[in-house]
Amino acid sequence: MTSSLTTANTPLIPITILIILILPGLFYLAPHILPPPKSPPVTFPEELQDLTLFRRATTPDPRKSRLGSTNSKPKIAFLFLTNSDLHFAPLWEIFFNGSSSRSLFNVYVHADPTVVPKVNIPGGVFTKDRFIAAKKTFRGTATLIAAARRLLAAALLDDPLNEFFTLISQQCIPLHSFGYFYNALFEADKHQVAELRFLKYKSFIEIVSKDPYILDRYNARGENAMLPEVTFEKFRMGSQFWTMTRRHALVVVADRKLWKKFRMHCLRPQSCYPEEHYFPTLLSMEDPDGCTSYTLTRVNWTDSVNGHPRTYYPNEVSPGLIHELRRSNFTNSYMFARKFSPDCLEPLMKMAYQVIFRD
Ligand SMILES: *[C@@H]1O[C@H](CO)[C@@H](O)[C@H](O)[C@H]1NC(C)=O
Ligand SMILES: *[C@@H]1O[C@H](CO)[C@@H](O)[C@H](O)[C@H]1NC(C)=O
Ligand SMILES: *[C@@H]1O[C@H](CO)[C@@H](O)[C@H](O)[C@H]1NC(C)=O
């Protein structure tokens, strides 16, 4: 018995040696054979920090009850997600300045920690205390979802009166005044009992189920990698930029199940825009009737290059363009538009009062 065992084990030794010899070679070759990991994941320490924040944001705080403050008007939280300078800060300052009262909105900024946006407008809204704890983001990766969730969590925690949450990027511009936007969100229900009003609000988010690329997008992490949590029938595409109700912000921040799937590495970066899939898929699974299925942020996808939408340049900026971009096929006109090159600031400022903020 003993001898037969020994004989059986003998060939194992050369194999072990062989593995030891080959392993370093594999480590050397692997990056050359396998595609490099194109999408840097959200790291483990980042995940832990986020989880702590998200838990806090979804734990009801009895001292901050919305029902206790029904005499106060609801607010809009503006979530600025940026990885460069906030080029259009002066235009946004006029947008916010136009509101009759500072008590109708809050501003939060998630800026790439390696970029410090220049926003030194004295008394302006982009003060340092509006910057939330941020982490680096990478295009076409789940880091953009994580950043948007951090913004939502920070805004949920900060003010129980934040009723709507609008995601804005550094390339977005306003197409209407603050007052116009505020009324569009809240006026429809102004005769409702204040305590019940928030139950009727809907999120403005594009939700698309029929698109020539949707199967590609679904399988971007590998064939059926999204199963079982997200079946192909439930997968949705949509816009990265939305205006979300408080109810839905809580759903997003509390989510673990879908995040686990959408944070996975993409094998095909050209099919991978997790931030355009996660929010529409989650909200259409959780509360399809609570969504308008259209966004308030206009984007021109005609002649898009490399997954980037059409960018507007200074020579194109005119009152006609603003009026054209506002036009929508839905109940509300568009409130915001992207993308604008940074040097559009000057022509936009010139027509701010006469055109953009004149509704
Ligand atoms: C904001 O409004 C005040 C009062 O109307 C005005 O004095 C100030 O110049 C405005 N600031 C901007 C940035 O438009
Ligand atoms: C959208 O982009 C296309 C292609 O560049 C252009 O022809 C069209 O005028 C743009 N639409 C608007 C509303 O600017
Ligand atoms: C509105 O619908 C028409 C017809 O389908 C389409 O040609 C047009 O581009 C749409 N406009 C916008 C702003 O989406």
Side-chain angles (χ1 to χ4, degrees):
M1 270 309 268
T2 320
S3 79
S4 80
L5 257 182
T6 319
T7 354
N9 277 343
T10 324
L12 280 180
I13 294 156
I15 286 171
T16 317
I17 291 169
L18 206 64
I19 288 171
I20 289 169
L21 288 176
I22 285 173
L23 261 184
L26 276 182
F27 273 117
Y28 172 77
L29 281 176
H32 301 262
I33 302 166
L34 302 169
K38 288 245 166 53
S39 31
V42 178
T43 64
F44 185 62
E46 284 175 356
E47 283 269 356
L48 278 185
Q49 278 178 3
D50 285 350
L51 257 178
T52 313
L53 171 68
F54 297 168
R55 285 234 170 86
R56 272 208 302 138
T58 49
T59 308
D61 182 346
R63 287 164 303 160
K64 285 193 173 180
S65 162
R66 164 168 45 198
L67 296 179
S69 47
T70 41
N71 291 332
S72 314
K73 286 189 161 184
K75 299 183 192 179
I76 305 171
F78 288 83
L79 315 178
F80 284 84
L81 176 54
T82 171
N83 54 17
S84 76
D85 208 354
L86 270 167
H87 319 291
F88 298 132
L91 188 63
W92 286 107
E93 293 288 359
I94 303 179
F95 172 82
F96 290 117
N97 202 32
S99 69
S100 54
S101 160
R102 286 236 162 173
S103 61
L104 298 180
F105 67 88
N106 284 303
V107 167
Y108 306 89
V109 184
H110 184 291
D112 189 312
T114 58
V115 182
V116 184
K118 295 188 290 292
V119 284
N120 314 318
I121 296 169
V125 295
F126 297 101
T127 48
K128 283 295 165 218
D129 67 331
R130 300 287 83 196
F131 281 58
I132 68 157
K135 307 201 169 75
K136 200 161 168 49
T137 55
F138 303 88
R139 184 167 179 260
T141 72
T143 57
L144 290 170
I145 302 175
R149 294 175 86 206
R150 264 171 229 134
L151 277 162
L152 284 171
L156 281 167
L157 275 170
D158 181 58
D159 193 337
L161 290 173
N162 283 333
E163 199 61 63
F164 275 104
F165 302 77
T166 293
L167 191 67
I168 306 276
S169 85
Q170 73 268 14
Q171 286 139 336
C172 290
I173 64 155
L175 294 175
H176 280 290
S177 71
F178 173 84
Y180 186 94
F181 180 47
Y182 188 90
N183 288 338
L185 293 185
F186 294 111
E187 188 151 352
D189 294 314
K190 76 177 168 195
H191 301 302
Q192 280 274 328
V193 182
E195 287 85 345
L196 298 177
R197 224 166 29 190
F198 64 89
L199 291 173
K200 298 195 75 182
Y201 297 146
K202 287 191 180 201
S203 290
F204 295 86
I205 179 168
E206 188 183 25
I207 300 179
V208 176
S209 57
K210 289 183 177 57
D211 185 282
Y213 295 108
I214 195 161
L215 187 61
D216 262 9
R217 302 287 188 93
Y218 180 68
N219 286 325
R221 295 162 190 83
E223 196 104 336
N224 294 327
M226 302 302 276
L227 290 176
E229 286 85 351
V230 187
T231 60
F232 177 62
E233 288 66 39
K234 292 198 167 157
F235 186 78
R236 295 288 181 274
M237 292 166 60
S239 54
Q240 184 190 351
F241 297 91
W242 31 251
T243 292
M244 202 179 277
T245 62
R246 188 174 185 95
R247 198 158 37 98
H248 287 165
L250 283 163
V251 167
V252 168
V253 172
D255 168 61
R256 308 271 178 274
K257 197 169 87 179
L258 262 60
W259 166 246
K260 202 174 78 188
K261 294 310 234 187
F262 282 89
R263 75 166 178 209
M264 290 191 301
H265 275 298
C266 287
L267 304 178
R268 284 178 290 124
Q270 70 278 12
S271 304
C272 195
Y273 301 97
E275 70 283 8
E276 292 178 7
H277 307 150
Y278 172 75
F279 299 100
T281 302
L282 176 60
L283 291 190
S284 87
M285 281 168 86
E286 294 292 328
D287 185 19
D289 295 337
C291 303
T292 60
S293 292
Y294 61 86
T295 176
L296 299 175
T297 304
R298 177 77 179 259
V299 187
N300 188 349
W301 285 109
T302 314
D303 299 338
S304 77
V305 183
N306 212 350
H308 287 287
R310 167 88 142 74
T311 299
Y312 292 97
Y313 294 98
N315 61 332
E316 301 171 279
V317 174
S318 67
L321 179 67
I322 299 298
H323 293 139
E324 179 58 34
L325 292 177
R326 285 175 179 172
R327 276 175 49 189
S328 139
N329 288 333
F330 308 106
T331 315
N332 298 89
S333 71
Y334 285 106
M335 304 288 166
F336 312 101
R338 61 192 282 267
K339 303 167 80 164
F340 282 77
S341 77
D343 48 356
C344 288
L345 178 64
E346 201 189 315
L348 287 169
M349 289 294 276
K350 277 197 184 132
M351 59 179 189
Y353 293 102
Q354 293 304 313
V355 180
I356 302 175
F357 301 128
R358 171 177 290 180
D359 305 299

